[in-house]
Amino acid sequence: MRAAPTILHLDMDAFFAAAEQAAKPSLRGKPVVVGGLGPRGVVATASYEARRFGVHSAMPMAQARRRAPNAAYLVPRFGFYRGISEQVMELLGRLSPLVEPLSLDEAFVDLEAGGVADDSASAREAGERLRRDILATTGLTGSVGLAGSKMLAKIASEEAKPDGLVLIEPGTERELLGPRSVRILPGVGPATGEHLRRAGMTTVSDLAEAGEDELVRLLGRAHGASLYLMAQGYDDRPVVAERDTKSVSVEDTFDVDLHDRVRIRTEVDRLAERCVGRLRASGHSGRTIVLKVRRFDFSTLTRSETLRGPTDDTVVVREAAGRLLEGVDTTGGVRLLGVGVSGLADYTQEDLFAQAEAAETAGAVEPGSGAGEASPADAAPAEEPPPERRWSPGHDVRHAVYGAGWVQGSGVGRVTVRFEEPGSAPGRVRTFLVDDPELEAAEPLPLVGGGPGLRPGLSLPPAR
């Protein structure tokens, strides 16, 4: 525990939804919900306007639509959010070498390690400067908590929401926490909270008065002892600059259960390719390939295969995931599939045998097949109509005539686009055929200024 509030916790306000509102002038001040739009989708983030209707993160999307039928429902654009996050993390890195990201929109910072704060006044100044710089750089707001420990800094940032700063002076922890609900403490969820309520403990002061022995009796040694310390306001966890990545994975939940084995295998191949893309982006390779299958009855099966050495080869991962799928019974249907890689390393020991086999298979020619001779079928392949283009609500597009815009919705062969940019007035809506040759997908526009915006290599303004 520190004698000065030099641990900072930043939490961007309704991050995904706020980013969409900043990018789409017509949505500012209106309820916006970001998440999976299918019948089994869940809410990733809801704007503060949507929260007034009772919509919140992790809520089933169908329930959210019932509560806020007039909200704008958009699919996530993780590449867009990641670009903004990189801008924010760069600003945090200017404050201190000790930055501990928790997610795209949340991080701890050790201000003392950066030499920018050693007392309450300098900590507050650093926090306010950070909030100004985030707004100037990204156009978005973040809430800041300052305290002598990570637990209290996070509680402070929650109190500061939205767009505020709260500083908890060291020495006032017990007075601050005492009357609060036990749910304010990390690790106390609905089940633990109810268990404590039945034991007559509803506030943090109740926990402190009960004593460590009683909490250990109720919750077990590890949880009980930890909770007693937190009830005293004690938390000596350091800010950790780097966290070891243990695995990389991707998964998809399907609107309708998949029954066709060929389609299931195709989805597994696609997930394997996405997983390898993330693996390479993180600079890792891995030895263990993991397949996750959730069946129609919600039973979840996990299968894994460990290779002779770490790899980041798409063919190797895809074939391993395919072999794992062969041992899974998908009778009755599949509602979710996932592919992951664990046992990560910072180097790659290529599976030469698997790669050689793949190369041989790709170049193999059956004896007597007449390789090199064009058959009638080769000379005149049957033409297939191009697949209908899909336009997801919220995604960026550009029209040859009308310029930049975003998809409001699509269906029955039509796509509706609102033409506006982050710095413009709310734009007009136009409808096109889904295969209109003048309409194409586009990259996100920068939220602030007209430079490279969210792209790598952005030069940020100097910290003030």
Side-chain angles (χ1 to χ4, degrees), residues 221-462:
R221 168 58 58 185
H223 197 184
S226 173
L227 199 58
Y228 178 70
L229 289 175
M230 289 190 291
Q232 308 291 320
Y234 184 81
D235 174 24
D236 63 352
R237 294 173 299 159
V239 175
V240 181
E242 294 184 2
R243 292 172 173 263
D244 291 335
T245 303
K246 297 181 179 179
S247 65
V248 173
S249 63
V250 295
E251 62 182 43
D252 275 345
T253 299
F254 305 101
D255 296 343
V256 179
D257 291 347
L258 304 184
H259 293 83
D260 182 69
R261 287 286 293 190
V262 174
R263 169 72 188 285
I264 294 172
R265 175 57 193 265
T266 300
E267 293 295 337
V268 168
D269 289 348
R270 184 177 58 82
L271 288 166
E273 292 171 3
R274 285 172 50 196
C275 183
V276 170
R278 290 192 182 183
L279 189 68
R280 290 176 175 173
S282 70
H284 291 92
S285 58
R287 293 188 64 208
T288 302
I289 313 304
V290 181
L291 175 71
K292 177 180 177 182
V293 179
R294 180 166 296 150
R295 299 187 293 190
F296 70 100
D297 58 357
F298 285 88
S299 61
T300 302
L301 304 177
T302 303
R303 299 288 185 268
S304 64
E305 175 182 319
T306 300
L307 307 173
R308 285 169 291 182
T311 184
D312 64 355
D313 185 86
T314 302
V315 173
V316 175
V317 175
R318 187 172 60 227
E319 292 304 316
R323 288 192 297 271
L324 294 171
L325 178 63
E326 292 173 2
V328 176
D329 180 11
T330 58
T331 305
V334 170
R335 60 184 290 120
L336 176 146
L337 289 169
V339 174
V341 178
S342 61
L344 301 188
D346 294 329
Y347 64 94
T348 300
Q349 179 180 326
E350 301 293 358
D351 190 332
L352 300 179
F353 292 99
Q355 291 190 32
E357 181 180 349
E360 289 174 5
T361 300
V365 178
E366 291 293 330
S369 63
E373 300 177 9
S375 67
D378 294 330
E383 292 188 5
E384 296 184 2
E388 182 178 284
R389 289 193 288 177
R390 297 183 61 183
W391 303 99
S392 299
H395 278 199
D396 295 275
V397 296
R398 178 169 290 277
H399 192 273
V401 176
Y402 302 108
W406 57 277
V407 177
Q408 278 201 331
S410 62
V412 294
R414 300 286 194 276
V415 55
T416 300
V417 177
R418 184 180 288 274
F419 290 97
E420 59 187 6
E421 301 181 13
S424 72
R428 296 187 61 182
V429 174
R430 297 181 184 275
T431 300
F432 308 91
L433 295 174
V434 294
D435 57 355
D436 189 320
E438 295 187 312
L439 186 68
E440 60 183 7
E443 291 296 316
L445 295 172
L447 296 182
V448 175
L454 306 176
R455 295 167 180 78
L458 173 66
S459 176
L460 299 176

Side-chain angles (χ1 to χ4, degrees), residues 92-326:
L92 297 182
R94 294 181 182 182
L95 293 176
S96 172
L98 291 183
V99 177
E100 182 179 340
L102 303 179
S103 62
L104 289 177
D105 63 335
E106 188 178 359
F108 287 110
V109 183
D110 188 333
L111 299 178
E112 185 177 321
V116 297
D118 56 9
D119 58 17
S120 297
S122 56
R124 183 181 294 277
E125 180 183 353
E128 293 290 7
R129 184 172 67 248
L130 173 64
R131 293 178 57 236
R132 292 194 300 268
D133 288 346
I134 289 174
L135 180 62
T137 302
T138 70
L140 304 179
T141 63
S143 296
V144 168
L146 294 159
S149 70
K150 290 168 73 172
M151 177 186 74
L152 289 165
K154 186 171 175 61
I155 289 173
S157 69
E158 191 65 30
E159 294 286 317
K161 283 186 167 294
D163 189 22
L165 181 149
V166 168
L167 184 149
I168 298 176
E169 291 283 358
T172 66
E173 295 90 351
R174 292 193 63 174
E175 179 184 355
L176 171 81
L177 293 173
R180 306 296 182 88
S181 165
V182 295
R183 292 290 303 279
I184 200 173
L185 298 179
V188 181
T192 301
E194 177 60 21
H195 190 51
L196 292 170
R197 187 195 66 78
R198 289 198 300 267
M201 304 177 200
T202 58
T203 66
V204 176
S205 61
D206 292 337
L207 301 181
E209 292 169 5
E212 183 176 357
D213 291 343
E214 177 65 9
L215 292 178
V216 168
R217 186 187 68 80
L218 286 171
L219 303 174
R221 168 58 58 185
H223 197 184
S226 173
L227 199 58
Y228 178 70
L229 289 175
M230 289 190 291
Q232 308 291 320
Y234 184 81
D235 174 24
D236 63 352
R237 294 173 299 159
V239 175
V240 181
E242 294 184 2
R243 292 172 173 263
D244 291 335
T245 303
K246 297 181 179 179
S247 65
V248 173
S249 63
V250 295
E251 62 182 43
D252 275 345
T253 299
F254 305 101
D255 296 343
V256 179
D257 291 347
L258 304 184
H259 293 83
D260 182 69
R261 287 286 293 190
V262 174
R263 169 72 188 285
I264 294 172
R265 175 57 193 265
T266 300
E267 293 295 337
V268 168
D269 289 348
R270 184 177 58 82
L271 288 166
E273 292 171 3
R274 285 172 50 196
C275 183
V276 170
R278 290 192 182 183
L279 189 68
R280 290 176 175 173
S282 70
H284 291 92
S285 58
R287 293 188 64 208
T288 302
I289 313 304
V290 181
L291 175 71
K292 177 180 177 182
V293 179
R294 180 166 296 150
R295 299 187 293 190
F296 70 100
D297 58 357
F298 285 88
S299 61
T300 302
L301 304 177
T302 303
R303 299 288 185 268
S304 64
E305 175 182 319
T306 300
L307 307 173
R308 285 169 291 182
T311 184
D312 64 355
D313 185 86
T314 302
V315 173
V316 175
V317 175
R318 187 172 60 227
E319 292 304 316
R323 288 192 297 271
L324 294 171
L325 178 63
E326 292 173 2

